Amino acid sequence: MRLVFLGPPGIGKGTQAERLAGRLSVPKISTGDIFRDAIAGKTPMGLKAKSYMDAGHLVPDSVVIGVVEERLSREDVQNGFILDGFPRTVPQAEALEGILSRKGLTLNNAVLFEAPEEEIVRRISGRLSCPNCQRVYHSEHNPAPGQTAEGEPLCACGARLVRRKDDLPETVAERLKVYRSQTAPLVNYYRAKELLVSVDAVGSIEEVTHDLESRLSPGKSYDHLKIKRGDR
Ligand code: AMP
């Protein structure tokens, strides 16, 4: 399965991408994670991306497309992939189509996660991220698995969880604005190609995964998706 996940920041698509990727045994490829790793490693690409990310803006298409092209040239995408947070602009979507068609491939679906704006803001404001392994938690929906003696939340990998700099309220408002102007046009782009499926992102993590799976497999058996029924 080759999927792209679309939706506003904070809607929970990363969490769903992680879960579905595990069940399908395909890699989840998050451009945001790739940039955060590059920033942590102080690479030239990370330094370039940082100022855009901190301001809530998009990293330029030329940079992101190069990153994705390199990532999709690796062995582990042979059985498919889930792209989380890419494409975010129409030129990125066109570039992806070009990269895949050069390999004789197409996307199976573009999955749009939808929720009212108040819910999105509520989710981002409770979000806690791991600077070490990039796992994401939420103070209510998906609490941190541990805490320090002082009550600070800890990740499953043992690192202290933090609020991402771009999850602070001023930056979130800018990211939502950027989403509406630059990324939302992808909905019509993929609808016109008959690849779009919409998922209601309001509900528990399990409910959303259930909805997601049912939309990806209309009339197809779970064997096709390599998902075991008892696996939910
Ligand atoms: P995310 O973790 O997907 O919310 O991404 C965090 C930030 O990384 C975004 O706000 C952008 O600054 C940058 N970024 C991630 N993916 C892309 C992309 N496909 N195009 C441009 N910028 C991106």
Side-chain angles (χ1 to χ4, degrees):
M1 276 246 144
R2 287 174 295 278
L3 302 171
V4 301
F5 278 16
L6 306 172
I11 197 150
K13 55 188 189 303
T15 302
Q16 295 299 331
E18 187 84 47
R19 285 166 68 87
L20 188 64
R23 290 167 191 233
L24 296 174
S25 302
V26 298
K28 167 197 144 176
I29 301 173
S30 155
T31 40
D33 285 352
I34 293 174
F35 289 134
R36 281 183 286 277
D37 281 344
I39 291 171
K42 298 193 167 52
T43 70
M45 190 254 284
L47 294 176
K48 193 161 183 184
K50 189 175 186 315
S51 56
Y52 294 99
M53 291 172 73
D54 285 351
H57 296 152
L58 294 184
V59 175
D61 285 343
S62 55
V63 177
V64 193
I65 290 166
V67 164
V68 170
E69 182 150 30
E70 188 280 323
R71 184 64 188 83
L72 293 181
S73 68
R74 296 201 206 154
E75 276 288 298
D76 65 346
V77 299
Q78 276 196 344
N79 292 328
F81 53 78
I82 299 179
L83 276 169
D84 163 26
F86 181 94
R88 262 179 157 99
T89 64
V90 171
Q92 290 181 17
E94 289 167 347
L96 176 62
E97 212 173 317
I99 294 167
L100 292 179
S101 81
R102 286 194 286 282
K103 298 174 194 283
L105 301 172
T106 54
L107 286 175
N108 293 80
N109 281 126
V111 183
L112 172 67
F113 290 84
E114 295 182 293
E117 191 149 325
E118 315 84 77
E119 175 67 15
I120 293 163
V121 172
R122 213 168 59 80
R123 287 189 184 189
I124 299 194
S125 54
R127 180 149 85 167
L128 292 166
S129 305
C130 178
N132 179 45
C133 72
Q134 311 277 8
R135 281 194 186 90
V136 176
Y137 299 89
H138 188 277
S139 48
E140 287 164 43
H141 306 298
N142 185 19
Q147 53 179 38
T148 62
E150 297 77 41
E152 299 291 340
L154 287 177
C155 181
C157 78
R160 246 187 75 177
L161 296 170
V162 295
R163 287 286 300 278
R164 260 166 56 180
K165 206 168 170 183
D166 59 348
D167 279 348
L168 298 174
E170 321 75 83
T171 319
V172 167
E174 184 60 27
R175 289 166 72 202
L176 286 170
K177 208 165 96 190
V178 168
Y179 175 78
R180 283 191 289 267
S181 66
Q182 301 199 54
T183 308
L186 290 179
V187 173
N188 280 338
Y189 178 91
Y190 283 119
R191 188 176 284 132
K193 292 183 184 291
E194 299 186 353
L195 290 174
L196 193 77
V197 291
S198 300
V199 170
D200 179 3
V202 181
S204 69
I205 292 174
E206 289 75 18
E207 283 163 350
V208 177
T209 305
H210 185 83
D211 187 29
L212 166 63
E213 289 174 356
S214 70
R215 279 166 209 281
L216 286 179
S217 52
K220 290 180 189 153
S221 78
Y222 273 81
D223 287 340
H224 170 80
L225 285 175
K226 295 196 204 154
I227 294 172
K228 291 191 249 57
R229 279 179 189 277
D231 212 6
R232 293 195 166 194

Coordinates of all heavy atoms in Angstrom, one line a residue, residues 18 28-50 53 59 67 71 74 129-135 157 164:
E18 N 1.6 5.9 12.3 CA 2.4 5.0 13.1 C 1.7 3.6 13.2 O 2.3 2.6 13.0 CB 2.7 5.6 14.4 CG 3.6 4.9 15.3 CD 5.1 5.4 15.0 OE1 5.3 6.6 14.9 OE2 5.9 4.4 14.9
K28 N 6.6 4.3 8.0 CA 5.9 5.6 8.0 C 7.0 6.6 7.8 O 8.1 6.7 8.4 CB 5.4 5.8 9.4 CG 4.9 7.2 9.7 CD 4.8 7.5 11.2 CE 5.2 8.9 11.5 NZ 5.0 9.4 12.9
I29 N 6.8 7.5 6.8 CA 7.8 8.5 6.4 C 7.2 9.9 6.7 O 6.3 10.3 6.1 CB 8.2 8.4 4.9 CG1 8.7 7.0 4.6 CG2 9.2 9.5 4.6 CD1 9.0 6.7 3.2
S30 N 7.7 10.5 7.8 CA 7.2 11.8 8.2 C 8.3 12.8 7.9 O 9.4 12.8 8.4 CB 6.9 11.8 9.7 OG 7.1 13.1 10.2
T31 N 8.0 13.8 7.0 CA 9.0 14.8 6.6 C 9.3 15.7 7.8 O 10.4 16.1 8.0 CB 8.5 15.6 5.4 OG1 7.1 15.9 5.5 CG2 8.8 14.9 4.1
G32 N 8.3 15.9 8.7 CA 8.5 16.7 9.9 C 9.6 16.0 10.8 O 10.5 16.6 11.3
D33 N 9.4 14.7 10.9 CA 10.4 13.9 11.8 C 11.8 14.0 11.1 O 12.8 14.1 11.8 CB 10.0 12.4 11.9 CG 8.8 12.2 12.8 OD1 8.4 13.2 13.5 OD2 8.3 11.1 12.9
I34 N 11.8 13.9 9.8 CA 13.1 13.9 9.1 C 13.8 15.3 9.4 O 15.0 15.3 9.7 CB 13.0 13.7 7.6 CG1 12.5 12.2 7.3 CG2 14.3 13.9 6.8 CD1 12.2 11.9 5.9
F35 N 13.0 16.3 9.3 CA 13.6 17.7 9.6 C 14.0 17.8 11.1 O 15.1 18.4 11.4 CB 12.6 18.8 9.2 CG 12.4 18.9 7.7 CD1 11.2 19.1 7.2 CD2 13.5 18.9 6.9 CE1 11.0 19.2 5.8 CE2 13.4 19.0 5.5 CZ 12.1 19.2 5.0
R36 N 13.2 17.3 12.0 CA 13.5 17.4 13.4 C 14.8 16.6 13.7 O 15.7 17.1 14.5 CB 12.4 17.0 14.3 CG 11.3 18.0 14.5 CD 10.2 17.6 15.4 NE 9.3 16.6 14.8 CZ 8.3 16.9 14.0 NH1 8.0 18.1 13.7 NH2 7.6 15.9 13.5
D37 N 15.0 15.5 13.1 CA 16.2 14.7 13.3 C 17.4 15.5 12.7 O 18.5 15.5 13.3 CB 16.1 13.4 12.5 CG 15.3 12.3 13.3 OD1 15.1 12.5 14.5 OD2 14.9 11.3 12.7
A38 N 17.2 16.1 11.5 CA 18.3 16.9 10.9 C 18.6 18.1 11.8 O 19.8 18.5 11.9 CB 17.8 17.3 9.5
I39 N 17.6 18.7 12.4 CA 17.9 19.8 13.3 C 18.7 19.3 14.5 O 19.7 19.9 14.9 CB 16.6 20.5 13.7 CG1 16.0 21.2 12.5 CG2 16.8 21.5 14.9 CD1 14.6 21.8 12.8
A40 N 18.3 18.2 15.1 CA 19.0 17.7 16.3 C 20.4 17.3 15.9 O 21.4 17.5 16.7 CB 18.3 16.4 16.8
G41 N 20.6 16.8 14.7 CA 22.0 16.5 14.2 C 22.8 17.7 13.7 O 23.9 17.5 13.2
K42 N 22.1 18.8 13.7 CA 22.8 20.1 13.2 C 23.3 19.9 11.8 O 24.4 20.4 11.5 CB 23.9 20.5 14.1 CG 23.4 20.9 15.5 CD 24.4 21.6 16.3 CE 23.9 22.3 17.6 NZ 23.2 21.5 18.5
T43 N 22.6 19.2 10.9 CA 23.1 19.1 9.5 C 22.7 20.4 8.8 O 21.9 21.1 9.2 CB 22.4 17.9 8.8 OG1 21.0 18.2 8.6 CG2 22.5 16.6 9.6
P44 N 23.4 20.6 7.6 CA 23.1 21.8 6.8 C 21.6 21.9 6.4 O 21.0 22.9 6.5 CB 23.9 21.6 5.6 CG 25.0 20.7 6.0 CD 24.5 19.8 7.0
M45 N 21.0 20.7 6.1 CA 19.6 20.7 5.8 C 18.7 21.1 7.0 O 17.8 21.8 6.9 CB 19.2 19.3 5.3 CG 17.8 19.2 4.6 SD 16.7 18.3 5.7 CE 17.2 16.6 5.5
G46 N 19.1 20.6 8.2 CA 18.4 20.9 9.4 C 18.5 22.4 9.7 O 17.5 23.0 10.1
L47 N 19.7 23.0 9.5 CA 19.8 24.4 9.8 C 18.9 25.2 8.9 O 18.3 26.2 9.3 CB 21.3 24.8 9.6 CG 22.2 24.2 10.7 CD1 23.7 24.6 10.4 CD2 21.8 24.6 12.1
K48 N 18.8 24.8 7.6 CA 18.0 25.5 6.6 C 16.5 25.4 7.0 O 15.8 26.3 6.9 CB 18.2 24.8 5.3 CG 17.7 25.6 4.1 CD 18.4 25.2 2.8 CE 17.9 26.0 1.7 NZ 18.4 25.6 0.4
A49 N 16.1 24.2 7.4 CA 14.7 23.9 7.7 C 14.2 24.6 9.0 O 13.1 25.1 9.1 CB 14.4 22.4 7.9
K50 N 15.1 24.8 10.0 CA 14.8 25.2 11.3 C 14.0 26.6 11.3 O 13.0 26.7 12.0 CB 16.0 25.3 12.2 CG 15.7 25.6 13.6 CD 16.9 25.5 14.5 CE 16.6 25.6 16.0 NZ 15.6 26.6 16.4
M53 N 10.5 26.2 10.1 CA 9.6 25.4 11.0 C 9.3 26.2 12.3 O 8.1 26.3 12.7 CB 10.3 24.1 11.4 CG 10.4 23.2 10.3 SD 11.5 21.7 10.6 CE 10.4 20.8 11.7
V59 N 8.8 24.5 4.7 CA 10.2 24.4 4.2 C 10.0 24.4 2.7 O 9.1 23.9 2.1 CB 10.8 23.1 4.7 CG1 12.2 22.9 4.1 CG2 10.9 23.1 6.2
V67 N 14.4 15.6 -0.2 CA 14.4 14.7 0.9 C 13.6 13.4 0.7 O 14.0 12.3 0.9 CB 13.9 15.4 2.2 CG1 13.6 14.5 3.3 CG2 15.0 16.4 2.6
R71 N 14.5 9.4 0.2 CA 13.9 8.5 1.1 C 13.2 7.3 0.4 O 13.2 6.2 0.7 CB 12.9 9.2 2.1 CG 12.3 8.3 3.2 CD 13.3 7.7 4.1 NE 12.8 6.7 5.0 CZ 12.6 5.4 4.7 NH1 12.9 5.0 3.5 NH2 12.1 4.6 5.6
R74 N 15.0 4.1 -1.1 CA 15.6 3.1 -0.2 C 14.8 1.8 -0.3 O 13.6 1.8 -0.7 CB 15.6 3.5 1.3 CG 16.5 4.7 1.5 CD 16.9 4.9 2.9 NE 17.2 6.3 3.2 CZ 17.1 6.8 4.4 NH1 16.7 6.1 5.4 NH2 17.4 8.1 4.5
S129 N 5.8 15.8 22.9 CA 6.6 15.1 21.9 C 7.9 14.7 22.5 O 8.5 15.3 23.4 CB 6.9 16.0 20.7 OG 5.7 16.6 20.2
C130 N 8.4 13.6 21.9 CA 9.7 13.1 22.4 C 10.8 13.6 21.5 O 10.8 13.3 20.3 CB 9.7 11.6 22.4 SG 11.3 10.9 23.0
P131 N 11.8 14.4 22.1 CA 12.9 14.9 21.3 C 13.9 13.8 20.8 O 14.7 14.0 19.9 CB 13.6 15.9 22.2 CG 13.2 15.5 23.6 CD 11.9 14.7 23.5
N132 N 13.8 12.6 21.5 CA 14.7 11.5 21.2 C 14.2 10.6 20.1 O 14.8 10.4 19.1 CB 15.0 10.8 22.5 CG 15.9 9.6 22.3 OD1 16.9 9.8 21.6 ND2 15.6 8.4 22.8
C133 N 12.9 10.0 20.3 CA 12.5 9.0 19.3 C 11.3 9.5 18.5 O 10.7 8.8 17.7 CB 12.1 7.7 20.0 SG 10.6 7.8 21.0
Q134 N 10.8 10.8 18.8 CA 9.8 11.4 18.0 C 8.4 10.9 18.3 O 7.4 11.2 17.6 CB 10.0 11.3 16.5 CG 11.4 11.7 16.0 CD 11.5 13.2 15.8 OE1 10.6 14.0 16.1 NE2 12.6 13.6 15.2
R135 N 8.2 10.0 19.3 CA 6.9 9.6 19.7 C 6.1 10.8 20.1 O 6.6 11.7 20.7 CB 6.9 8.5 20.8 CG 7.2 7.1 20.3 CD 6.9 6.2 21.5 NE 7.3 4.8 21.2 CZ 8.5 4.3 21.6 NH1 9.3 5.1 22.2 NH2 8.7 3.1 21.4
C157 N 10.7 5.6 25.6 CA 12.2 5.4 25.4 C 13.0 6.0 26.6 O 14.2 5.9 26.6 CB 12.6 6.1 24.1 SG 12.8 7.9 24.2
R164 N 6.6 20.9 21.6 CA 7.4 21.3 20.4 C 7.2 22.8 20.3 O 6.2 23.4 20.5 CB 6.8 20.7 19.1 CG 7.5 19.5 18.6 CD 6.8 18.7 17.6 NE 6.3 19.5 16.5 CZ 5.6 18.9 15.5 NH1 5.3 17.7 15.5 NH2 5.2 19.7 14.5

